[in-house]
Amino acid sequence: MLIVKHILTVFFLYFSLTVTAQTPDGRIAIIPEPVSIIPAEGYFTLPSQTVIKTDANAESMEVAAYLKNKLKVTGQPVTISNTASHSAIQLVLLDKEDTELNKEGYRLQVIPGKVTIQANKPAGLFYGVQTLLQLFPKEIESKDEILNIKWQAPCVSITDYPRFEWRGLMFDVARHFFTKEEVKQYIDQMVRYKFNILHLHLTDDEGWRIEIKSYPKLTQVGAWSVKKVGYFGNFTPPAPDEPRTYGGYYTQEDIKELVRYAKERFVNILPEIDVPGHSLAAIASYPELSCTPGADQYKVRSGEKIMDWSHGAPPIALLDNTLCPANEKVYEFLDKVVSEVARLFPFEYIHMGGDECPKNFWEQNDAVKAFAAANNLKNMEEVQGYFEKRLEKIVTSKGKKFMGWDEILEGGLAPGAAVMSWRGMKGGTEAAKMKHEVVMTPTTFAYLDYMQGDPAIEPRIYATLRLSKAYQFEPLPDSVDALYIKGGQGNLWTEQVYNMRHAEYMTWPRAFAISESLWTPRGRKNWDYFFSRVEKHFARFDEAEVKYAPSAYDPIIATSVTPGKQLQIYLSTEVSGLDIYYSFDNSFPDKFYPKYTAALIAPEDAVMLKMITYRGNKPVGRMISYSIKEQQEKLALLKQPKKTP
Ligand code: ACM
């Protein structure tokens, strides 16, 4: 105890004498930005033999082991001790609760000879470790041992805790399957940025990804499709006998392993079983779950068109991908599925989907119509409402809380339902006002499947969400009691994401922005300062070999039409301080080309505008080829060929 007091005195003296500046301090680039940073002069240097001292409880020991593992890159010996009288790094669980820190907060103090992390709970120690790692040189993220580096961290005193308790990322492993190892990789990446919930979208039209022992065909049949590439959604339908070898699933042992892996990193996994829509994989496995004749011919979707979205949501289904709400067998099925899911995932919530359920087959179906009449349900929204309420009872009966997408509001919300608001903030706001728990994941700020820049360079999706827009995500609407807004998450849908490298590209850096919206006090957010830190984390990801999108460096392209029917092109950048160089002659511009200063008029026969951004003498953006012809066609500006007399 005396030693602890002595150390605290040293900290106090040190910080009162050497505090120099408030952030931003060029040596420090933490994402998400902590609550309070007080930098000091000097550095802590990792000694040639490091002792990490920690309490003996299992979770603190796990945090110490995590840190030790990360320090392997230094090639220097690191030991963990519960008793050492001298240690370079000390993880301290506080005997007396520090109420400012709550369950996930920490205090990190770095002085020349010592690093101390204090927290009420092991989760706080873990987040303190994440911050400490971000203070070390970027090479700490390398996969190979790095020798001949001074492993230093700037002296600083940090107090930190999250703004929201729900800080999630959703990974859609149904549209394209991602292996257990890839999911672990995703977890490893997200915990660096203090996310604590991984929402796994486990079932959809394209695949059922979790072994359910009472329904083995869900994975024997439901996990497999025909591999296709291109623009998902419009693929040629596979031939009936085409081999179905593409996909995969997690066994229950795999799930247990993932849950354990996540828990060791203070992440809860939220399982989602998406019903009653998005259920083609289940129906292909057990056609009796559908009430549409001919469903026994249905196959797991391989990306062919199955919905008509031209009338908006809900879509018109071209085949019936819904579970039958009028069939008792469906509720038996769901009871058994939820039972198994509830046993596998310790997290208190189960997400049961509920989104985008087409109603056109139900409207035509005699059994559903009779069911609606018998239960006094006025329309098909109320039929879904009935379904959701029964489902909520099933989920609750397994000791879990029921969560669904905001469509579950439409037929009347079940009493204990939690709402994940994706179609903007409206559904979540409404639910919170009705005193329901809410997680905000609005498309406008949090959809990680959207393009991050112009379609001239990004893989085409129907919508765009730039980094700067994601950074504006504010999960708490002004009119709502904060008590009901648990937090938010970014959602990575994977229709157009075929592999892990691209999953990373779509997630980062937008998930940096989302992490900061969920963790950092609102008043401490600042776009320019954020982006300066993002750039330093790009360098860390280069070390870690994690892919990220450099799209924020690329120009934003906008057009208009002059009174003379010429195409006018406006360029700008999300990031300040960049110059844009361009060409209309199809050659590759560099800094010796014209610099963009004002709106451009495309010369008469130009077909392509090429452009690239620079910071000073250094190219930072990618070479973009923008089709003038395509845009002119879109705006109906192309001259009609003269008719021959
Ligand atoms: C959703 O994006 N359909 C929840």
Side-chain angles (χ1 to χ4, degrees):
M1 208 56 205
L2 206 62
I3 286 191
V4 172
K5 267 197 193 131
H6 178 67
I7 289 169
L8 289 176
T9 311
V10 170
F11 279 153
F12 179 75
L13 278 176
Y14 184 78
F15 282 107
S16 51
L17 291 174
T18 58
V19 167
T20 48
Q22 291 298 314
T23 49
D25 173 320
R27 305 170 304 163
I28 298 174
I30 312 292
I31 297 178
E33 175 70 2
V35 171
S36 153
I37 300 183
I38 304 172
E41 275 173 14
Y43 287 85
F44 162 83
T45 305
L46 206 64
S48 56
Q49 302 219 7
T50 298
V51 176
I52 304 173
K53 185 172 179 191
T54 179
D55 305 294
N57 73 75
E59 280 186 304
S60 297
M61 288 294 283
E62 265 168 27
V63 175
Y66 178 94
L67 175 57
K68 177 179 169 176
N69 191 45
K70 292 294 274 189
L71 294 177
K72 258 193 200 155
V73 63
T74 65
Q76 297 171 188
V78 177
T79 52
I80 298 173
S81 165
N82 303 134
T83 53
S85 52
H86 294 289
S87 59
I89 302 178
Q90 190 167 359
L91 310 179
V92 182
L93 272 191
L94 295 163
D95 293 334
K96 185 171 168 317
E97 186 174 337
D98 180 335
T99 50
E100 190 186 5
L101 301 182
N102 211 334
K103 291 196 289 258
E104 295 181 295
Y106 64 92
R107 292 187 202 281
L108 165 65
Q109 281 165 322
V110 181
I111 58 170
K114 181 96 186 176
V115 170
T116 308
I117 302 173
Q118 299 177 318
N120 293 324
K121 303 271 181 207
L125 297 180
F126 185 70
Y127 296 130
V129 162
Q130 294 302 341
T131 297
L132 173 63
L133 291 169
Q134 292 190 17
L135 292 173
F136 279 119
K138 65 182 185 340
E139 289 80 4
I140 198 88
E141 297 297 347
S142 170
K143 294 208 164 130
D144 306 316
E145 214 170 78
I146 306 266
L147 305 174
N148 309 321
I149 273 206
K150 234 180 181 178
W151 294 104
Q152 288 189 322
C155 290
V156 68
S157 174
I158 293 178
T159 299
D160 201 13
Y161 46 84
R163 184 172 168 214
F164 292 101
E165 66 181 284
W166 187 297
R167 303 181 305 279
L169 289 178
M170 189 211 75
F171 195 5
D172 170 6
V173 292
R175 267 46 181 275
H176 285 102
F177 180 62
F178 292 82
T179 64
K180 179 177 65 178
E181 291 311 317
E182 288 170 331
V183 174
K184 287 184 185 173
Q185 219 173 305
Y186 204 74
I187 293 171
D188 280 334
Q189 292 163 18
M190 62 190 272
V191 297
R192 291 175 192 173
Y193 298 96
K194 304 186 175 86
F195 285 102
N196 64 355
I197 285 169
L198 175 64
H199 169 173
L200 285 181
H201 182 74
L202 287 165
T203 72
D204 214 302
D205 299 320
E206 297 77 8
W208 185 285
R209 306 297 181 202
I210 175 172
E211 179 190 24
I212 300 294
K213 303 246 191 222
S214 27
Y215 291 92
K217 282 197 279 181
L218 287 171
T219 43
Q220 287 162 359
V221 175
W224 306 100
S225 64
V226 177
K227 181 171 184 181
K228 291 178 176 275
V229 289
Y231 285 121
F232 182 101
N234 287 310
F235 291 151
T236 315
D241 56 351
E242 224 169 313
R244 296 182 158 263
T245 53
Y246 183 59
Y249 65 93
Y250 312 113
T251 64
Q252 295 206 346
E253 286 311 307
D254 289 338
I255 294 283
K256 286 179 197 161
E257 188 179 324
L258 282 174
V259 165
R260 210 164 36 239
Y261 192 86
K263 182 174 171 289
E264 283 165 13
R265 289 155 183 77
F266 300 91
V267 167
N268 275 308
I269 300 186
L270 170 72
E272 182 189 351
I273 306 295
D274 196 355
V275 291
H278 289 277
S279 292
L280 191 57
I283 292 163
S285 313
Y286 294 96
E288 62 271 28
L289 298 174
S290 167
C291 39
T292 293
D296 54 341
Q297 300 303 308
Y298 287 171
K299 299 269 201 244
V300 175
R301 185 184 183 211
S302 303
E304 65 277 21
K305 184 170 175 173
I306 63 166
M307 295 284 153
D308 174 4
W309 284 97
S310 60
H311 307 276
I316 310 258
L318 306 178
L319 54 74
D320 184 9
N321 70 337
T322 65
L323 302 185
C324 182
N327 181 354
E328 276 306 307
K329 276 211 178 110
V330 164
Y331 300 100
E332 275 168 38
F333 166 80
L334 289 168
D335 192 282
K336 288 196 177 137
V337 168
V338 171
S339 273
E340 294 194 31
V341 170
R343 279 200 295 274
L344 286 168
F345 294 91
F347 193 38
E348 58 183 320
Y349 295 84
I350 298 182
H351 194 309
M352 297 301 302
D355 58 322
E356 299 176 325
C357 175
K359 307 291 188 319
N360 54 305
F361 278 91
W362 292 1
E363 278 157 2
Q364 308 291 322
N365 188 283
D366 289 341
V368 178
K369 283 194 277 190
F371 181 80
N375 289 284
N376 208 14
L377 305 167
K378 286 193 287 298
N379 52 41
M380 291 303 145
E381 281 66 40
E382 288 195 9
V383 171
Q384 186 176 345
Y386 170 97
F387 176 91
E388 302 295 350
K389 284 177 197 128
R390 280 207 49 187
L391 198 47
E392 192 249 4
K393 284 207 182 101
I394 291 172
V395 171
T396 311
S397 76
K398 313 298 172 206
K400 300 289 183 179
K401 292 189 187 172
F402 170 88
M403 181 173 275
W405 298 109
D406 57 64
E407 282 93 333
I408 65 170
L409 279 152
E410 287 169 1
L413 203 49
V419 171
M420 194 168 264
S421 189
W422 73 280
R423 297 175 301 176
M425 312 278 284
K426 188 171 156 287
T429 303
E430 203 182 306
K433 287 187 173 162
M434 290 155 61
K435 302 190 187 307
H436 286 255
E437 290 181 329
V438 169
V439 175
M440 292 292 191
T441 71
T443 53
T444 30
F445 300 102
Y447 262 41
L448 303 177
D449 57 325
Y450 286 8
M451 291 182 293
Q452 311 182 60
D454 197 275
I457 184 135
E458 300 295 339
R460 262 179 211 228
I461 319 277
Y462 56 92
T464 304
L465 170 63
R466 290 182 180 276
L467 177 62
S468 50
K469 179 85 175 176
Y471 193 64
Q472 291 166 24
F473 181 27
E474 171 44 48
L476 179 59
D478 287 338
S479 58
V480 160
D481 184 343
L483 187 66
Y484 299 105
I485 306 297
K486 293 185 71 66
Q489 61 181 45
N491 291 341
L492 180 62
W493 299 102
T494 60
E495 286 97 326
Q496 312 290 352
V497 179
Y498 296 79
N499 61 63
M500 190 60 189
R501 293 296 284 173
H502 196 53
E504 292 173 357
Y505 176 96
M506 297 305 282
T507 303
W508 311 106
R510 286 180 296 190
F512 294 156
I514 290 167
S515 80
E516 195 143 309
S517 293
L518 296 172
W519 180 284
T520 303
R522 198 171 176 175
R524 282 181 70 80
K525 284 176 68 185
N526 173 297
W527 163 251
D528 285 331
Y529 177 42
F530 169 70
F531 194 75
S532 73
R533 284 175 285 129
V534 166
E535 293 195 275
K536 292 190 174 154
H537 284 255
F538 282 168
R540 302 181 87 83
F541 270 19
D542 288 338
E543 294 290 336
E545 298 183 327
V546 177
K547 199 167 189 175
Y548 55 86
S551 318
Y553 290 120
D554 295 330
I556 300 171
I557 308 164
T559 57
S560 69
V561 179
T562 66
K565 296 268 182 250
Q566 287 173 302
L567 181 67
Q568 190 154 24
I569 304 170
Y570 307 84
L571 304 179
S572 57
T573 57
E574 283 188 271
V575 175
S576 52
L578 305 188
D579 297 317
I580 307 169
Y581 297 92
Y582 67 90
S583 78
F584 280 114
D585 60 10
N586 308 327
S587 64
F588 300 108
D590 56 23
K591 71 179 175 103
F592 300 95
Y593 277 60
K595 189 198 289 192
Y596 178 87
T597 53
L600 305 169
I601 302 278
E604 187 178 11
D605 293 317
V607 290
M608 205 50 96
L609 168 64
K610 286 194 195 294
M611 61 208 120
I612 186 165
T613 55
Y614 274 64
R615 181 184 277 137
N617 285 330
K618 205 168 154 274
V620 288
R622 298 169 291 187
M623 183 67 63
I624 296 194
S625 299
Y626 178 76
S627 169
I628 292 166
K629 284 279 165 254
E630 210 175 276
Q631 190 62 13
Q632 285 170 327
E633 230 166 68
K634 223 188 261 172
L635 299 171
L637 295 178
L638 286 182
K639 288 189 198 116
Q640 298 302 317
K642 284 196 188 94
K643 285 204 179 96
T644 40

